[in-house]
Amino acid sequence: MGPMRLPQTPSDLLDLDLPRGEPWGYAFAQCLLRAPWAWRALRPTPGLMQLIRQDLEALSQELEQRRTAYPLSDLGERPPHPAEEEALAALLARNPEALTRVLQTHGPYPFALYRAFRFSGEVYPRTFRLPREDELIGYEAQLEALKANALRFLSGKPALHILLYGARGTGKSTAAKSLLHLPQARMVEVEPKALAHLENLLERLALVPHRFFLFLDDLSLDPEEEAFHHLKALLEGSLEGPPDNVLLLATSNRRHLVRHQGENPLPGADPSAWDELQDTLALSERFGLVLTFPPFDKTLYLKAVAHHLGRSLTPEEEREALRFALQKGFSGRVARQFALSLL
């Protein structure tokens, strides 16, 4: 375990995502959430509690020195997160038991402070535009089924891995990200190149007291690729399969998630051909909830344009909207793009 990285001067605070309030205290609270022993503190031992107590004694003295040398008022604009408030209270009280409760309740950094993440081999907090809850139209039944399954998962009930399948621009990714409107929802978007490292991610997520949607956007895998087999193992419930607090959420433009589906092998064909077909079918069937997002037609496209504008279209605007879609086709994305051109 390496040493804790503490801010030394006011300039060290400027790159931190600090809340409103006295910045030194919250900066030190964040250091505790990032401490080298933070993950071990989820299952503390007597020796670890001694180490945490020693660190709290030393850190509380250093905090007082910073406050005296560099008195500062607010540097942040957001309200403090409960994890930051509770970690600071544990530091001021020099209470290791209270600090371990903070970590067990909220998780270590970054899970203690954020709800959306990107995994590229390491986990990083991610910010993106959260879709409006009424942003997608024409897919009400799909969105209702998606939300119902998500709520079951978040409430601790059995839920199904989810595949959103359809043409480009129909709103699959928007629908997936809209789940972050649900209280307690958290999402980790996995970069394709990081699929080989899923075991490391799942080991960490299993320890955190939250529920996560593991988001794979625009998924398209070939059975010959190594990443295909990592995902297959994840879905088929191997010894390293997903923990109970993780649900897979994928979008794809291909029903079976492969580039070359091929035809059924003939009787007497090489057994490997049958094995490949079974692998492909097994992977697609592991998504218990498959929701299809069909392409827009002209009527739905014009309805979407009007929805984004918040008003009815004039006859001339309808003609312009149809001309706009000549090259790109009818889709929710094109409807939104045209509406933006009129605003």
Side-chain angles (χ1 to χ4, degrees):
M1 294 187 223
M4 222 175 296
R5 296 180 181 177
L6 297 173
Q8 303 295 321
T9 65
S11 60
D12 294 335
L13 301 173
L14 298 179
D15 291 332
L16 300 179
D17 175 22
L18 294 173
R20 291 190 297 268
E22 191 269 323
W24 287 111
Y26 285 122
F28 274 53
Q30 288 186 10
C31 288
L32 290 173
L33 298 174
R34 297 173 181 256
W37 36 254
W39 285 96
R40 290 280 301 276
L42 298 177
R43 297 175 180 175
T45 60
L48 186 66
M49 296 300 289
Q50 291 176 324
L51 175 61
I52 295 175
R53 184 180 300 277
Q54 293 168 6
D55 280 351
L56 291 179
E57 294 284 347
L59 288 176
S60 62
Q61 295 177 20
E62 287 203 47
L63 174 57
E64 188 55 37
Q65 292 171 5
R66 302 291 195 285
R67 286 172 161 174
T68 301
Y70 307 106
L72 294 170
S73 55
D74 288 3
L75 287 179
E77 299 178 353
R78 64 174 176 84
H81 190 283
E84 293 169 313
E85 293 182 315
E86 294 166 21
L88 178 55
L91 171 59
L92 297 177
R94 305 181 185 186
N95 186 336
E97 289 79 16
L99 184 57
T100 57
R101 287 195 295 272
V102 174
L103 292 165
Q104 290 167 345
T105 301
H106 302 285
Y109 183 91
F111 301 109
L113 302 181
Y114 302 97
R115 298 176 62 208
F117 311 89
R118 178 180 291 276
F119 179 67
S120 59
E122 296 290 335
V123 177
Y124 301 96
R126 184 186 180 192
T127 57
F128 52 74
R129 185 187 70 85
L130 190 61
R132 298 194 319 270
E133 293 191 80
D134 64 346
E135 187 159 323
L136 292 178
I137 66 167
Y139 302 114
E140 287 76 14
Q142 292 92 325
L143 295 175
E144 184 177 345
L146 174 65
K147 182 177 179 180
N149 188 63
L151 288 172
R152 287 183 60 84
F153 170 66
L154 294 174
S155 67
K157 298 178 181 178
L160 302 171
H161 295 303
I162 307 162
L163 171 63
L164 307 181
Y165 167 73
R168 292 185 181 277
T170 51
K172 303 181 299 297
S173 297
T174 299
K177 293 174 183 176
S178 70
L179 292 181
L180 284 171
H181 282 293
L182 300 176
Q184 310 305 318
R186 286 169 171 79
M187 184 174 293
V188 182
E189 183 171 357
V190 179
E191 294 185 358
K193 65 181 181 181
L195 280 171
H197 306 288
L198 275 179
E199 291 181 11
N200 297 333
L201 173 63
L202 295 176
E203 287 176 1
R204 284 294 172 95
L205 295 184
L207 298 173
V208 179
H210 307 301
R211 292 187 161 256
F212 296 90
F213 296 102
L214 203 63
F215 181 39
L216 290 84
D217 199 18
D218 199 19
L219 185 63
S220 176
L221 297 176
D222 190 306
E224 296 181 0
E225 293 182 358
E226 182 183 2
F228 177 93
H229 299 286
H230 288 292
L231 182 59
K232 182 172 178 286
L234 171 67
L235 281 168
E236 291 192 347
S238 68
L239 292 177
E240 300 299 332
D244 291 339
N245 65 330
V246 173
L247 193 73
L248 191 65
L249 170 61
T251 69
S252 178
N253 295 309
R254 297 165 177 82
R255 175 63 178 86
H256 291 302
L257 313 181
V258 294
R259 294 193 181 95
H260 305 291
Q261 176 67 18
E263 297 179 356
N264 286 356
L266 295 173
D270 187 319
S272 65
W274 287 100
D275 290 343
E276 183 174 308
L277 175 64
Q278 291 305 313
D279 277 353
T280 298
L281 295 176
L283 178 64
S284 62
E285 289 170 359
R286 291 296 174 177
F287 290 94
L289 180 62
V290 179
L291 300 173
T292 302
F293 286 64
F296 273 32
D297 58 16
K298 182 179 80 169
T299 300
L300 190 53
Y301 167 73
L302 293 174
K303 181 180 178 182
V305 174
H307 174 78
H308 290 302
L309 288 175
R311 59 175 176 79
S312 300
L313 298 177
T314 66
E316 177 58 29
E317 287 173 336
E318 284 193 6
R319 289 190 289 270
E320 289 181 16
L322 294 175
R323 283 195 294 269
F324 187 84
L326 279 177
Q327 299 298 322
K328 299 182 178 182
F330 298 135
S331 73
R333 180 181 300 164
V334 175
R336 185 164 56 250
Q337 290 171 347
F338 177 73
L340 289 174
S341 75
L342 294 183
L343 294 177

